[in-house]
Amino acid sequence: MEPITHFLTGACIGRAGLNRKTAYATLAAVLAAEAADIDMFWGLAGPVEELKHHRGITHTFIAVPVVAAAAVGLVWAIDRWVQARRRRRLAASPPVAPGAAGPKARQQIRWGWLYLTAMISALSHLLLDWTNNYGLRPFFPFNPRWYAAALFLLPSL
């Protein structure tokens, strides 16, 4: 599947109501939906290495919790940076007059909901890759068999 498909699917998952449960839901969903394709960087070592590792361990059920945790960890780092920047900006700004509108309140981050959002998005990546003819190995390393929806949908020859 093309990366844009995974990004847009993650954005839809994040905006499907999960963004009302926690801050950064859409960001976590987009990151987790695309994170499994981190294995494409094996292509820097050459085309053979890319073929050996493409849709490897990052495209398995075992990797889904790890991929989701990595996406949430990146969101945590981004939130820390945003908060530090906000504190610096507030420290440098003049005091707010009584009765004037202060800084905008931010939405609460519920890390459990954020992790659930990332898990759903990581699973969506596997589902989308399963639907093409190349397929994936969801039970690797325990079962090396490739699964693809195209094999289930095509009539037996």
Side-chain angles (χ1 to χ4, degrees), residues 137-149:
R137 298 178 290 178
F139 306 109
F140 183 79
F142 307 111
N143 179 358
R145 183 169 177 234
W146 287 83
Y147 294 88

Side-chain angles (χ1 to χ4, degrees), residues 3-20 24-34 117-118 120-122 124 128:
I4 191 71
T5 305
H6 294 299
F7 276 116
L8 291 175
T9 301
C12 289
I13 289 169
R15 300 296 294 176
L18 294 166
N19 61 325
R20 289 185 221 117
Y24 297 124
T26 304
L27 176 62
V30 168
L31 291 173
E34 185 54 38
T117 302
I120 293 167
S121 292
S124 78
L128 288 172

Side-chain angles (χ1 to χ4, degrees), residues 75-101:
V75 170
W76 176 82
I78 291 169
D79 181 60
R80 298 275 299 187
W81 176 75
V82 167
Q83 288 305 311
R85 191 170 169 215
R86 177 183 250 197
R87 281 191 298 274
R88 283 193 306 271
R89 196 175 304 155
L90 285 174
S93 66
V96 178

Side-chain angles (χ1 to χ4, degrees), residues 57-71:
I57 196 73
T58 60
H59 287 74
T60 64
F61 290 127
I62 289 176
V64 167
V66 177
V67 166

